[in-house]
Amino acid sequence: MIKEGKVVLDLELPQVISSRMEVFYNPHMRENRDISLLLLLTIPFEGLRVCDPMGASGVRLLRMLLETNKVERAIYNDLNQRAVEFFRRLLESNNIGKEKVEIYQEDACLLMRKLRSLHYVDVDPFGSPVPYLESSVIPLSRYGILAVTATDTSVLSGTYPKTCIRRYGSMPLLSAEFYHEVGIRILIKKVVEEGAKMDYALRPIFSYSYRHYFRVFFQKDLGPKRTDALLQKLGYLLYCDRCLFRGSVVLEALVHVCPHCGNRLLVAGPLWLGDLWDRELVENMWQMRGIVNISESTNKLLKRIREESKLQTVGFYTISSMSEAFKIGQPPPLERFLQVFEGVRTHFTGEGFRTSLSHEELIRRSHELLQRA
Amino acid sequence: MIKEGKVVLDLELPQVISSRMEVFYNPHMRENRDISLLLLLTIPFEGLRVCDPMGASGVRLLRMLLETNKVERAIYNDLNQRAVEFFRRLLESNNIGKEKVEIYQEDACLLMRKLRSLHYVDVDPFGSPVPYLESSVIPLSRYGILAVTATDTSVLSGTYPKTCIRRYGSMPLLSAEFYHEVGIRILIKKVVEEGAKMDYALRPIFSYSYRHYFRVFFQKDLGPKRTDALLQKLGYLLYCDRCLFRGSVVLEALVHVCPHCGNRLLVAGPLWLGDLWDRELVENMWQMRGIVNISESTNKLLKRIREESKLQTVGFYTISSMSEAFKIGQPPPLERFLQVFEGVRTHFTGEGFRTSLSHEELIRRSHELLQRA
């Protein structure tokens, strides 16, 4: 028998706590549950609807029911049949009325996407919370709390930087003495981003690192303005591993100067710098035209793209942008530009062309064009 | 009656094409469907399972069935009852066998998350595809094709840069003559990211801008290595709006020099630079300790965080990092550091402290500490 708070569990602990336990109960997560109880108690209204989509033993929900007196509805879910049965027995032995609990046994993401008006959702999976974040933000009502546990702390802290970039889209920093804090800040960025794409402002309100996991609580608010305000606090950390200097910058502060004219450069991105077309595919599609009945416009579009895909630069030039920048009063027709700059047309605009010339060479030839025009 | 390819539609077109039509059919998307047919024809295997989760009139799927001879199973979905009924009649009048088609009427994301082994998924919603991306990547099999249409081109092209940052996490560039291309590259980045977080490599293979929409096709591959290779092609665009210079950089190339010691700085991020704790909340949680039965460790942790939250810097220092950097042979105890640097402890590590001193002042006082030690 195990006692945690007011809950008594009819369980024997194995020597090693692992996800292979018949019903998962981790005594080392007691502090995790304690903290969530305290946080739930601070919510300034009653009749809460709370959800644990990876419920396992169900201790978290049961403690919320027994120890806070604020929960109107506890929504439990676990894919594991034994866990669900264990939780049912736990409810009975603790005399929890059925009207207070909903029990599901399905995919956590699917369930969360079907629920609404929750005051509290707890994402506490084995491993990374990333696959659950988008789904978990949806059922929360305004001012609702999202609790996120991440046990992939070695990824977030920089032991596997490539995995961190893949999963969280950010570069970690194992060299800093506060690498765990960097990890938590990357986790927060990811949650903020997942909310922001749907105009939800998820503000971090309580974070900590403990034993093998990170934990952050977010409060959800709505609307573009509140979301924009949060996004202004995303940026980069600069760190000197010699003298320990640390500073932070936002993207806009990364000032660059034009190597050609010395003007301040504009920055866009992050964005895709690779090819826009697989050339072999374009050729294959071109060959398929006879098989399906395509419109004349489709044919034109494909023809243009077929030409364009032979010179896949990042960006192109247009007659008007060049005329303005290089003061070409009466620009010649596009054909002349294609010739002078060894260009190909682009489907993006009828007056544009791509060239593989260097910018210096382009400017040199522009002057020639200007003199001859 | 409308004819598109081999499909005849029993529809009258209204004067204005809008989502208010009883059954949505947009004749201006003919080219969109033409191109997807051509692309489907290039797939080098037969017996395809294709899905249109926002099926509307169903013309796309019907053309794939009638004009390619490669589709084994066409999965149609639309929330609109009238659209579903229209599509059923369309199938009958075209003598399509029921074994070739599955019809659903539910939330597109929920459906996609339940499907598997698809060779082709077409995401073509009203507005931005962002809410559907994560879900659409899941049901695709290896080498499967994801087609994405974005009609929020003004957002992606930079007319509403804040919305672009919220929704896509990237800064657009309306000042460039190729602002549409920048928009498509931002769309691609978003799709690549949504795949990467689940170790899926979504490589863009065909992209175009046409009328009011952007369209990109991706081929899905699996695994960290292939995904990492894609991510290396994400970066920033630099642009000079005076001389038209353009260049691209990856994050690592954004070199910064330590303002204190001149060393090359390390860069981490993007990450959250704001507060980790809402101080009022921490105080409230502290007050709630008496109400629930929390462990001694929880109490200690909360006490430490309560202190730490009073000085919310980005990053902290540790005894060992400072001893090494500033060559303090026999460092004094933490209490002395707290005193000299006006610091507070951090819960992240027992030997760490936060300080609001400038780095210069910190180094000055370190020398004093060193001399006295």
Side-chain angles (χ1 to χ4, degrees), chain B residues 171-223:
Chain B
M171 177 69 83
L173 188 57
L174 192 61
S175 320
E177 61 270 59
F178 52 95
Y179 55 91
H180 274 147
E181 181 182 327
V182 172
I184 277 199
R185 290 181 181 278
I186 288 174
L187 172 62
I188 293 174
K189 183 224 71 164
K190 187 67 186 166
V191 176
V192 168
E193 268 185 5
E194 291 285 352
K197 73 187 183 190
M198 298 180 278
D199 283 357
Y200 298 145
L202 290 158
R203 185 172 67 92
I205 54 173
F206 193 91
S207 324
Y208 68 96
S209 160
Y210 189 68
R211 296 180 68 114
H212 66 291
Y213 69 89
F214 293 156
R215 177 88 163 156
V216 185
F217 295 88
F218 299 86
Q219 188 171 42
K220 179 179 174 178
D221 206 339
L222 310 175

Coordinates of all heavy atoms in Angstrom, one line a residue, chain B residues 171-223:
Chain B
M171 N 9.5 36.2 -40.2 CA 9.3 37.6 -40.7 C 9.3 37.6 -42.2 O 10.2 37.2 -42.9 CB 10.6 38.4 -40.2 CG 10.6 39.9 -40.7 SD 9.3 40.8 -39.9 CE 10.1 41.2 -38.3
P172 N 8.2 38.2 -42.8 CA 8.1 38.3 -44.3 C 8.8 39.5 -44.8 O 9.5 40.2 -44.0 CB 6.6 38.4 -44.5 CG 6.1 39.1 -43.3 CD 7.0 38.7 -42.1
L173 N 8.7 39.8 -46.0 CA 9.5 41.0 -46.6 C 8.8 41.6 -47.8 O 9.1 41.3 -48.9 CB 10.9 40.5 -47.0 CG 11.9 41.6 -47.4 CD1 12.1 42.6 -46.3 CD2 13.3 40.9 -47.7
L174 N 7.9 42.5 -47.5 CA 7.1 43.1 -48.5 C 7.9 44.0 -49.4 O 7.6 44.3 -50.6 CB 5.9 43.9 -47.9 CG 4.8 44.4 -48.8 CD1 4.1 43.2 -49.5 CD2 3.8 45.2 -48.1
S175 N 9.1 44.5 -48.9 CA 9.9 45.4 -49.6 C 10.6 44.8 -50.8 O 11.1 45.5 -51.7 CB 10.9 46.1 -48.7 OG 10.4 46.4 -47.5
A176 N 10.8 43.5 -50.8 CA 11.5 42.8 -51.9 C 10.6 42.6 -53.1 O 9.4 42.4 -52.9 CB 12.0 41.5 -51.4
E177 N 11.1 42.7 -54.3 CA 10.3 42.5 -55.5 C 9.8 41.1 -55.6 O 8.8 40.8 -56.2 CB 11.1 42.9 -56.7 CG 12.4 42.2 -57.0 CD 13.6 42.8 -56.4 OE1 13.6 42.9 -55.2 OE2 14.6 43.1 -57.1
F178 N 10.5 40.2 -54.8 CA 10.1 38.8 -54.8 C 9.4 38.4 -53.5 O 9.6 37.3 -53.0 CB 11.3 37.9 -55.1 CG 12.5 38.1 -54.2 CD1 12.6 37.3 -53.1 CD2 13.4 39.1 -54.5 CE1 13.7 37.5 -52.3 CE2 14.5 39.3 -53.7 CZ 14.6 38.5 -52.5
Y179 N 8.5 39.3 -53.0 CA 7.8 39.1 -51.8 C 7.0 37.8 -51.8 O 6.8 37.2 -50.8 CB 7.0 40.3 -51.3 CG 6.0 40.8 -52.3 CD1 4.7 40.3 -52.3 CD2 6.4 41.7 -53.3 CE1 3.8 40.8 -53.3 CE2 5.5 42.2 -54.3 CZ 4.2 41.7 -54.2 OH 3.3 42.1 -55.1
H180 N 6.4 37.5 -53.0 CA 5.6 36.2 -53.0 C 6.5 35.0 -52.8 O 6.1 34.1 -52.2 CB 4.9 36.1 -54.4 CG 3.6 36.8 -54.4 ND1 3.1 37.5 -55.6 CD2 2.7 37.0 -53.5 CE1 2.0 38.0 -55.3 NE2 1.7 37.8 -54.0
E181 N 7.7 35.1 -53.4 CA 8.6 33.9 -53.2 C 9.0 33.8 -51.8 O 9.1 32.7 -51.2 CB 9.9 34.1 -54.1 CG 10.8 33.0 -54.0 CD 12.1 33.1 -54.8 OE1 12.0 33.7 -55.9 OE2 13.1 32.7 -54.4
V182 N 9.3 35.0 -51.1 CA 9.6 34.9 -49.7 C 8.4 34.3 -48.9 O 8.6 33.4 -48.1 CB 9.8 36.4 -49.1 CG1 10.0 36.3 -47.6 CG2 11.1 36.9 -49.8
G183 N 7.2 34.6 -49.3 CA 6.0 34.0 -48.7 C 6.0 32.5 -48.9 O 5.7 31.7 -47.9
I184 N 6.2 32.0 -50.1 CA 6.2 30.6 -50.3 C 7.3 29.9 -49.5 O 7.2 28.8 -48.9 CB 6.4 30.3 -51.8 CG1 5.0 30.3 -52.5 CG2 7.0 28.9 -52.0 CD1 5.0 29.6 -53.9
R185 N 8.5 30.6 -49.4 CA 9.6 30.0 -48.6 C 9.3 29.9 -47.1 O 9.7 29.0 -46.4 CB 10.9 30.8 -48.9 CG 11.4 30.5 -50.3 CD 12.7 31.3 -50.5 NE 13.2 31.1 -51.9 CZ 13.9 30.0 -52.3 NH1 14.2 29.1 -51.4 NH2 14.2 29.9 -53.6
I186 N 8.5 30.9 -46.7 CA 8.0 30.8 -45.3 C 7.0 29.7 -45.0 O 7.1 28.9 -44.1 CB 7.4 32.2 -44.8 CG1 8.6 33.2 -44.7 CG2 6.7 32.1 -43.5 CD1 8.1 34.6 -44.4
L187 N 6.1 29.5 -46.0 CA 5.1 28.4 -45.9 C 5.9 27.1 -45.9 O 5.6 26.2 -45.1 CB 4.2 28.5 -47.2 CG 3.3 27.3 -47.4 CD1 2.3 27.1 -46.2 CD2 2.5 27.4 -48.7
I188 N 6.9 26.9 -46.8 CA 7.7 25.7 -46.8 C 8.4 25.5 -45.4 O 8.3 24.4 -44.9 CB 8.7 25.7 -47.9 CG1 8.0 25.7 -49.3 CG2 9.7 24.5 -47.8 CD1 9.0 25.9 -50.5
K189 N 9.0 26.5 -44.9 CA 9.6 26.4 -43.6 C 8.6 25.8 -42.5 O 9.0 25.0 -41.8 CB 10.2 27.7 -43.1 CG 10.9 27.6 -41.8 CD 10.5 28.7 -40.8 CE 9.1 28.6 -40.2 NZ 8.9 29.4 -39.0
K190 N 7.4 26.4 -42.6 CA 6.5 26.0 -41.5 C 6.1 24.5 -41.7 O 6.1 23.7 -40.7 CB 5.2 26.8 -41.7 CG 4.2 26.6 -40.6 CD 4.7 27.1 -39.2 CE 3.8 26.7 -38.1 NZ 4.5 26.9 -36.8
V191 N 5.9 24.0 -42.9 CA 5.6 22.6 -43.1 C 6.8 21.7 -42.7 O 6.6 20.7 -42.1 CB 5.2 22.4 -44.6 CG1 4.9 20.9 -44.9 CG2 3.9 23.2 -44.9
V192 N 8.0 22.2 -43.1 CA 9.2 21.4 -42.8 C 9.3 21.3 -41.3 O 9.6 20.2 -40.7 CB 10.5 22.1 -43.4 CG1 11.7 21.5 -42.8 CG2 10.5 21.9 -44.9
E193 N 9.0 22.4 -40.5 CA 9.1 22.3 -39.1 C 8.1 21.4 -38.5 O 8.4 20.7 -37.5 CB 8.8 23.8 -38.5 CG 10.0 24.6 -38.3 CD 9.7 25.9 -37.7 OE1 8.5 26.2 -37.3 OE2 10.6 26.8 -37.5
E194 N 6.8 21.5 -39.0 CA 5.8 20.7 -38.4 C 6.1 19.2 -38.6 O 5.8 18.4 -37.8 CB 4.4 21.0 -39.1 CG 3.9 22.4 -38.7 CD 3.3 22.5 -37.3 OE1 3.2 21.5 -36.6 OE2 3.0 23.6 -36.8
G195 N 6.7 18.9 -39.7 CA 7.2 17.5 -39.9 C 8.4 17.1 -39.0 O 8.4 16.1 -38.4
A196 N 9.3 18.0 -39.0 CA 10.6 17.8 -38.3 C 10.3 17.4 -36.8 O 11.0 16.6 -36.2 CB 11.5 18.9 -38.4
K197 N 9.4 18.1 -36.2 CA 9.2 17.8 -34.7 C 8.7 16.4 -34.5 O 8.8 15.9 -33.3 CB 8.2 18.8 -34.1 CG 6.8 18.7 -34.5 CD 5.9 19.9 -34.0 CE 4.4 19.7 -34.2 NZ 3.6 20.9 -34.0
M198 N 8.3 15.7 -35.5 CA 8.0 14.2 -35.4 C 9.0 13.4 -36.1 O 8.6 12.2 -36.4 CB 6.5 14.0 -35.8 CG 5.5 14.8 -34.9 SD 3.8 14.6 -35.4 CE 3.6 15.7 -36.8
D199 N 10.1 13.9 -36.5 CA 11.2 13.2 -37.2 C 10.7 12.8 -38.6 O 11.1 11.8 -39.2 CB 11.6 11.9 -36.5 CG 12.6 12.2 -35.4 OD1 12.9 13.4 -35.2 OD2 13.0 11.3 -34.7
Y200 N 9.8 13.6 -39.2 CA 9.4 13.4 -40.6 C 10.1 14.4 -41.5 O 10.2 15.6 -41.2 CB 7.9 13.6 -40.8 CG 7.1 12.6 -40.0 CD1 5.8 13.0 -39.5 CD2 7.5 11.3 -39.9 CE1 5.0 12.1 -38.8 CE2 6.7 10.4 -39.1 CZ 5.5 10.8 -38.6 OH 4.7 9.9 -37.9
A201 N 10.7 14.0 -42.6 CA 11.4 14.9 -43.5 C 10.4 15.2 -44.7 O 10.1 14.3 -45.5 CB 12.6 14.2 -44.1
L202 N 9.9 16.4 -44.7 CA 9.0 16.8 -45.8 C 9.7 17.7 -46.7 O 9.9 18.9 -46.5 CB 7.7 17.5 -45.2 CG 6.8 16.6 -44.4 CD1 6.0 17.3 -43.4 CD2 6.0 15.8 -45.3
R203 N 10.1 17.1 -47.9 CA 10.9 17.9 -48.8 C 10.0 18.5 -49.9 O 9.2 17.8 -50.5 CB 11.9 16.9 -49.5 CG 12.9 17.5 -50.5 CD 13.9 16.5 -51.0 NE 13.3 15.5 -51.8 CZ 13.2 15.6 -53.1 NH1 13.7 16.7 -53.8 NH2 12.7 14.6 -53.8
P204 N 10.1 19.8 -50.1 CA 9.3 20.5 -51.1 C 9.8 20.0 -52.5 O 10.9 20.0 -52.8 CB 9.6 22.0 -50.9 CG 10.9 22.0 -50.2 CD 11.0 20.8 -49.4
I205 N 8.8 19.6 -53.3 CA 9.2 19.1 -54.6 C 8.6 19.9 -55.8 O 9.0 19.8 -56.9 CB 8.8 17.6 -54.8 CG1 7.3 17.4 -54.5 CG2 9.7 16.7 -53.9 CD1 6.9 16.0 -54.8
F206 N 7.5 20.7 -55.4 CA 6.9 21.5 -56.5 C 6.2 22.7 -55.8 O 5.3 22.4 -55.0 CB 6.0 20.7 -57.3 CG 5.6 21.4 -58.6 CD1 6.3 21.2 -59.8 CD2 4.4 22.2 -58.7 CE1 5.9 21.8 -61.0 CE2 4.1 22.8 -59.8 CZ 4.8 22.6 -61.0
S207 N 6.5 23.9 -56.2 CA 5.8 25.1 -55.6 C 5.4 26.0 -56.7 O 6.0 26.2 -57.7 CB 6.9 25.8 -54.7 OG 7.8 24.9 -54.1
Y208 N 4.3 26.7 -56.4 CA 3.9 27.8 -57.3 C 3.0 28.8 -56.7 O 2.3 28.5 -55.7 CB 3.4 27.4 -58.7 CG 2.0 26.7 -58.6 CD1 0.9 27.4 -58.9 CD2 1.9 25.3 -58.3 CE1 -0.4 26.8 -58.8 CE2 0.7 24.7 -58.3 CZ -0.4 25.4 -58.5 OH -1.7 24.8 -58.5
S209 N 3.0 30.0 -57.2 CA 2.1 31.1 -56.8 C 1.2 31.3 -58.0 O 1.6 31.5 -59.1 CB 2.9 32.3 -56.5 OG 2.1 33.5 -56.5
Y210 N -0.1 31.3 -57.8 CA -1.1 31.5 -58.9 C -2.3 32.3 -58.4 O -2.8 31.9 -57.3 CB -1.5 30.2 -59.5 CG -2.3 30.3 -60.8 CD1 -1.7 30.7 -61.9 CD2 -3.6 29.9 -60.8 CE1 -2.4 30.8 -63.1 CE2 -4.4 30.0 -62.0 CZ -3.7 30.4 -63.1 OH -4.5 30.5 -64.3
R211 N -2.7 33.3 -59.1 CA -3.8 34.1 -58.7 C -3.7 34.5 -57.2 O -2.8 35.1 -56.8 CB -5.1 33.4 -59.0 CG -5.3 33.3 -60.6 CD -6.6 32.6 -60.9 NE -7.7 33.4 -60.6 CZ -8.6 33.9 -61.5 NH1 -8.4 33.6 -62.8 NH2 -9.6 34.6 -61.1
H212 N -4.7 34.0 -56.4 CA -4.7 34.4 -55.0 C -4.2 33.4 -54.0 O -4.4 33.5 -52.8 CB -6.2 34.7 -54.6 CG -7.0 33.4 -54.7 ND1 -7.3 32.8 -55.9 CD2 -7.5 32.7 -53.7 CE1 -8.0 31.7 -55.6 NE2 -8.1 31.6 -54.3
Y213 N -3.5 32.4 -54.5 CA -3.0 31.3 -53.6 C -1.6 30.9 -53.9 O -1.0 31.1 -55.0 CB -4.0 30.1 -53.6 CG -3.9 29.3 -54.9 CD1 -3.1 28.3 -55.1 CD2 -4.8 29.6 -56.0 CE1 -3.1 27.5 -56.2 CE2 -4.8 28.9 -57.1 CZ -3.9 27.8 -57.3 OH -3.9 27.1 -58.4
F214 N -1.0 30.3 -52.9 CA 0.3 29.6 -53.0 C 0.0 28.1 -52.9 O -0.9 27.6 -52.2 CB 1.3 29.9 -51.8 CG 1.7 31.3 -51.8 CD1 2.1 31.9 -50.6 CD2 1.8 32.1 -53.0 CE1 2.6 33.2 -50.6 CE2 2.2 33.4 -52.9 CZ 2.6 34.0 -51.7
R215 N 0.9 27.3 -53.6 CA 0.7 25.9 -53.5 C 2.0 25.2 -53.5 O 3.0 25.5 -54.2 CB 0.0 25.5 -54.8 CG -0.3 24.0 -55.0 CD -1.6 23.6 -54.4 NE -2.0 22.3 -54.9 CZ -2.8 21.5 -54.2 NH1 -3.3 21.9 -53.0 NH2 -3.2 20.4 -54.7
V216 N 2.2 24.3 -52.6 CA 3.5 23.5 -52.5 C 3.2 22.0 -52.2 O 2.3 21.7 -51.5 CB 4.4 24.0 -51.3 CG1 5.7 23.3 -51.3 CG2 4.6 25.5 -51.4
F217 N 3.9 21.2 -52.9 CA 3.8 19.7 -52.8 C 5.1 19.3 -52.0 O 6.2 19.7 -52.3 CB 3.8 19.0 -54.1 CG 2.5 19.3 -54.9 CD1 2.4 20.4 -55.7 CD2 1.4 18.5 -54.8 CE1 1.3 20.7 -56.5 CE2 0.2 18.7 -55.5 CZ 0.2 19.8 -56.3
F218 N 4.9 18.4 -51.1 CA 6.0 17.8 -50.3 C 6.0 16.3 -50.4 O 4.9 15.7 -50.5 CB 5.8 18.2 -48.8 CG 5.8 19.6 -48.5 CD1 4.7 20.4 -48.6 CD2 7.0 20.3 -48.2 CE1 4.7 21.7 -48.4 CE2 7.0 21.6 -47.9 CZ 5.9 22.4 -48.0
Q219 N 7.2 15.7 -50.4 CA 7.3 14.3 -50.3 C 7.8 13.9 -48.9 O 8.8 14.5 -48.5 CB 8.2 13.7 -51.4 CG 8.1 12.2 -51.4 CD 8.9 11.6 -52.6 OE1 10.0 12.0 -52.9 NE2 8.3 10.6 -53.2
K220 N 7.1 13.0 -48.3 CA 7.5 12.6 -46.9 C 8.5 11.5 -46.9 O 8.4 10.5 -47.6 CB 6.2 12.1 -46.2 CG 6.4 11.7 -44.7 CD 5.1 11.3 -44.1 CE 5.3 10.7 -42.7 NZ 4.0 10.3 -42.1
D221 N 9.5 11.7 -46.1 CA 10.5 10.6 -45.8 C 10.6 10.6 -44.3 O 10.1 11.5 -43.6 CB 11.8 10.9 -46.5 CG 12.5 9.5 -46.8 OD1 12.2 8.5 -46.1 OD2 13.4 9.5 -47.7
L222 N 11.3 9.6 -43.8 CA 11.4 9.3 -42.4 C 12.8 9.4 -41.8 O 13.7 9.2 -42.5 CB 10.8 7.9 -42.0 CG 9.5 7.6 -42.7 CD1 9.1 6.1 -42.4 CD2 8.4 8.5 -42.2
G223 N 12.9 9.7 -40.5 CA 14.1 9.6 -39.8 C 14.9 10.9 -39.5 O 14.8 11.8 -40.3

